[in-house]
């Protein structure tokens, strides 16, 4: 065996152990030293993207192999091909890290809503994942960006935190500074259930954010409703209930539903005008996009579900796991609703 192959194999085993330790720590929620946590998370993103690039590389290599070139030209083209792939891989990976840790972009979307009497602006954030990576300072930056858009409503659509209420201390305090015409409304995501949803909901309530768990309010000429996440079915606690969430709504005004996961629409027996959700992270790391679509009906953006109902899926403001976003930029979604 060539000496360098031995070292490569040792490195691969080491990386595999570190990634497995990271995944195990996430699954059973045990504390891992911050440096090991960071390394494991980053390497997991690195490995996933490397897998995707390797598949693309092998496919293109097979195609080029069938092309007839003389020996010297073939060697030259292989060198160019390998170098280009290496440069692209490193470039995309570094850009992905930068994309994950920088403040999210503000993405404006104009949405027509039947029966809406006057324009309304909703600022949507989801999947912030306050925890070991992103903390109070990051949330304060989001609040500053949201306030600059002067929204009528702020909607926080789940996966706000990746730690228990006791662990987060004052991390949610910046939410007190959100400014809007009608207030800030929140529905939990699946990650809140993993870290003790009751404690997190208590923290959310303490900073003045209104929790729309199977509830609705009538504001700004529309019904704004929300349901608990589908993880509640698994935990048998705080389950989503659409009937309760829509009870007592004004039938003469449009209805918007906040729910964390897009696939909740598969269980809806009543249509609303617009569903706002998150959860997918827009795929976060290409080519994970395709796996997400095996579980969720929509990946990102505005989607027309049927003649009445539209679905907006936010790519999220933060990230989960690897601090990497490749071909899935983070966002603060500004939904400018207008009547039709």
């Amino acid at each position: 065996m060539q000496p360098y192959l031995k070292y490569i194999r040792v490195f691969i085993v080491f990386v595999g152990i570190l990634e497995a330790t990271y995944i195990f720590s996430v699954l059973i929620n045990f504390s891992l030293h911050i440096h090991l946590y960071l390394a494991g998370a980053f390497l997991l993103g690195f490995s996933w993207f490397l897998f995707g690039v390797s598949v693309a590389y092998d496919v293109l290599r097979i195609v080029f192999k069938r092309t007839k070139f003389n020996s010297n030209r073939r060697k030259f083209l292989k060198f160019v091909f390998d170098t280009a792939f290496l440069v692209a891989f490193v470039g995309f990976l570094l850009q992905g890290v930068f994309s994950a840790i920088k403040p999210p972009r503000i993405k404006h979307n104009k949405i027509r809503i039947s029966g809406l009497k006057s324009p309304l602006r909703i600022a949507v954030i989801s999947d912030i994942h306050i925890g070991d990576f992103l903390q109070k300072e990051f949330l304060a930056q989001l609040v500053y960006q949201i306030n600059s858009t002067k929204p009528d409503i702020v909607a926080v659509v789940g996966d706000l935190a990746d730690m228990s209420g006791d662990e987060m201390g004052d991390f949610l305090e910046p939410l007190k500074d959100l400014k809007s015409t009608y207030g800030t409304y929140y529905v939990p995501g699946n990650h809140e259930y993993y870290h003790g949803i009751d404690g997190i909901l208590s923290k959310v309530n303490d900073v003045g954010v209104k929790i729309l768990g199977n509830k609705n309010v009538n504001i700004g000429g529309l019904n704004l409703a929300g349901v608990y996440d589908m993880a509640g079915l698994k935990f048998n606690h705080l389950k989503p209930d659409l009937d309760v969430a829509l009870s007592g709504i004004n039938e003469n005004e449009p209805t918007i539903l906040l729910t964390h996961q897009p696939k909740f629409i598969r269980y809806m027996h009543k249509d609303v005008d617009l569903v706002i959700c998150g959860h997918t992270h827009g795929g976060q790391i290409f080519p994970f996009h395709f796996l997400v679509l095996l579980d969720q009906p929509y990946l990102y953006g505005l989607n027309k579900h049927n003649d009445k109902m539209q679905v907006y899926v936010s790519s999220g403001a933060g990230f989960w796991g690897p601090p990497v976003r490749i071909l899935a930029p983070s966002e603060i979604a500004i939904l400018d609703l207008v009547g039709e």
Side-chain angles (χ1 to χ4, degrees), residues 255-313:
T255 298
I256 294 176
L257 178 71
L258 308 181
T259 179
H260 178 61
Q261 299 191 49
K263 70 179 178 183
F264 182 74
I265 62 175
R266 294 172 178 162
Y267 302 88
M268 291 176 60
H269 54 278
K270 298 178 182 177
D271 284 343
V272 296
D273 295 274
L274 175 65
V275 178
I276 301 174
C277 39
H279 185 67
T280 68
H281 296 207
Q284 186 165 323
I285 302 174
F286 183 85
F288 196 70
H289 304 55
F290 302 111
L291 294 183
V292 173
L293 285 171
L294 294 177
D295 182 54
Q296 303 290 334
Y298 301 112
L299 179 69
Y300 169 68
L302 184 65
N303 304 271
K304 187 174 178 60
H305 185 66
N306 57 34
D307 289 341
K308 174 178 173 62
M309 190 162 72
Q310 301 178 80
V311 179
Y312 187 85
V313 184

Side-chain angles (χ1 to χ4, degrees), residues 140-156:
Q141 172 65 33
L142 294 183
V143 169
Y144 173 80
Q145 290 177 273
I146 291 169
N147 287 344
S148 72
T149 68
K150 298 181 179 177
D152 295 304
I153 299 169
V154 178
V156 184

Side-chain angles (χ1 to χ4, degrees), residues 94-116:
L94 292 177
Q95 192 277 335
V97 173
F98 177 73
S99 179
I101 63 178
K102 72 175 183 178
R105 62 178 179 169
I106 294 176
K107 175 91 181 303
H108 287 268
N109 306 267
K110 187 176 181 180
I111 303 177
R112 296 191 178 279
I113 301 293
S114 178
L116 186 66

Side-chain angles (χ1 to χ4, degrees), residues 5 9 45 49 98 101 110 136-137 144 151-152 158 169 171 184 193 211 216 261 271 321 324 328:
L5 290 178
R9 289 181 180 179
F49 184 52
F98 177 73
I101 63 178
K110 187 176 181 180
K136 185 177 180 180
E137 295 76 14
Y144 173 80
D152 295 304
F171 286 179
T184 303
Y193 287 82
I211 300 168
N216 70 78
Q261 299 191 49
D271 284 343
V324 180

Side-chain angles (χ1 to χ4, degrees), residues 1 5 85 96 111 121 127 137 149 185 203 214 218 222 231 301 303 324 326 328 331 334:
M1 179 189 299
L5 290 178
F85 252 86
I111 303 177
R121 170 169 287 184
D127 304 281
E137 295 76 14
T149 68
Y185 297 86
K203 285 284 188 178
N214 299 338
N218 186 268
L222 56 75
N303 304 271
V324 180
I326 297 175
E331 71 170 17
I334 304 301

Side-chain angles (χ1 to χ4, degrees), residues 11-289:
F11 175 73
I12 291 173
V13 171
F14 172 75
V15 168
I17 292 173
L18 193 55
E19 290 179 355
T21 303
Y22 166 75
I23 293 171
F24 190 61
S25 73
V26 171
L27 291 176
I28 70 171
N29 194 27
F30 80 84
S31 181
L32 193 64
H33 189 280
I34 185 61
H35 293 118
L36 289 176
Y37 186 93
L38 290 170
F42 177 79
L43 287 172
L44 189 64
F46 171 87
S47 298
W48 175 249
F49 184 52
L50 180 61
F51 168 75
V53 169
S54 298
V55 171
Y57 175 86
D58 286 339
V59 170
L60 290 174
R61 187 167 58 86
I62 291 170
V63 171
F64 281 119
K65 257 189 173 181
R66 295 180 178 178
T67 305
K68 294 182 179 180
F69 293 112
N70 64 45
S71 179
N72 289 334
R73 179 172 290 185
R74 184 180 296 279
K75 287 179 181 179
F76 174 73
L77 289 176
K78 184 179 186 306
F79 172 77
V80 172
F81 185 67
D82 291 349
T83 302
F85 252 86
L86 179 61
V87 171
F89 173 77
V90 173
F92 268 108
L93 187 63
L94 292 177
Q95 192 277 335
V97 173
F98 177 73
S99 179
I101 63 178
K102 72 175 183 178
R105 62 178 179 169
I106 294 176
K107 175 91 181 303
H108 287 268
N109 306 267
K110 187 176 181 180
I111 303 177
R112 296 191 178 279
I113 301 293
S114 178
L116 186 66
K117 294 183 174 60
S118 57
L120 201 71
R121 170 169 287 184
I122 303 179
V124 177
I125 49 174
S126 72
D127 304 281
I128 305 170
H129 293 282
I130 294 299
D132 291 314
F133 285 111
L134 305 175
Q135 299 183 347
K136 185 177 180 180
E137 295 76 14
F138 183 77
L139 188 57
Q141 172 65 33
L142 294 183
V143 169
Y144 173 80
Q145 290 177 273
I146 291 169
N147 287 344
S148 72
T149 68
K150 298 181 179 177
D152 295 304
I153 299 169
V154 178
V156 184
V157 199
D159 282 5
L160 172 61
D162 251 328
M163 53 174 41
S164 70
D166 292 335
E167 292 172 319
M168 71 175 60
D170 66 348
F171 286 179
L172 299 188
E173 287 295 306
L175 293 177
K176 289 182 177 179
D177 297 325
L178 281 168
K179 295 179 175 61
S180 63
T181 308
Y182 299 107
T184 303
Y185 297 86
Y186 161 82
V187 293
N190 53 309
H191 280 249
E192 280 87 338
Y193 287 82
Y194 303 155
H195 297 277
I197 187 168
D198 293 313
I200 294 173
L201 291 181
S202 177
K203 285 284 188 178
V204 171
N205 186 64
D206 288 345
V207 294
V209 173
K210 302 171 184 68
I211 300 168
L212 280 185
N214 299 338
K215 294 179 181 177
N216 70 78
V217 293
N218 186 268
I219 51 174
L222 56 75
N223 306 294
L224 182 66
V227 292
Y228 287 114
D229 185 63
M230 295 178 65
L233 301 173
K234 176 182 176 181
F235 284 82
N236 197 30
H237 180 55
L238 298 181
K239 304 175 186 178
D241 190 321
L242 184 65
D243 288 329
V244 175
L246 298 182
S247 64
I249 64 171
N250 185 339
E251 300 287 352
N252 297 317
E253 293 183 343
T255 298
I256 294 176
L257 178 71
L258 308 181
T259 179
H260 178 61
Q261 299 191 49
K263 70 179 178 183
F264 182 74
I265 62 175
R266 294 172 178 162
Y267 302 88
M268 291 176 60
H269 54 278
K270 298 178 182 177
D271 284 343
V272 296
D273 295 274
L274 175 65
V275 178
I276 301 174
C277 39
H279 185 67
T280 68
H281 296 207
Q284 186 165 323
I285 302 174
F286 183 85
F288 196 70
H289 304 55

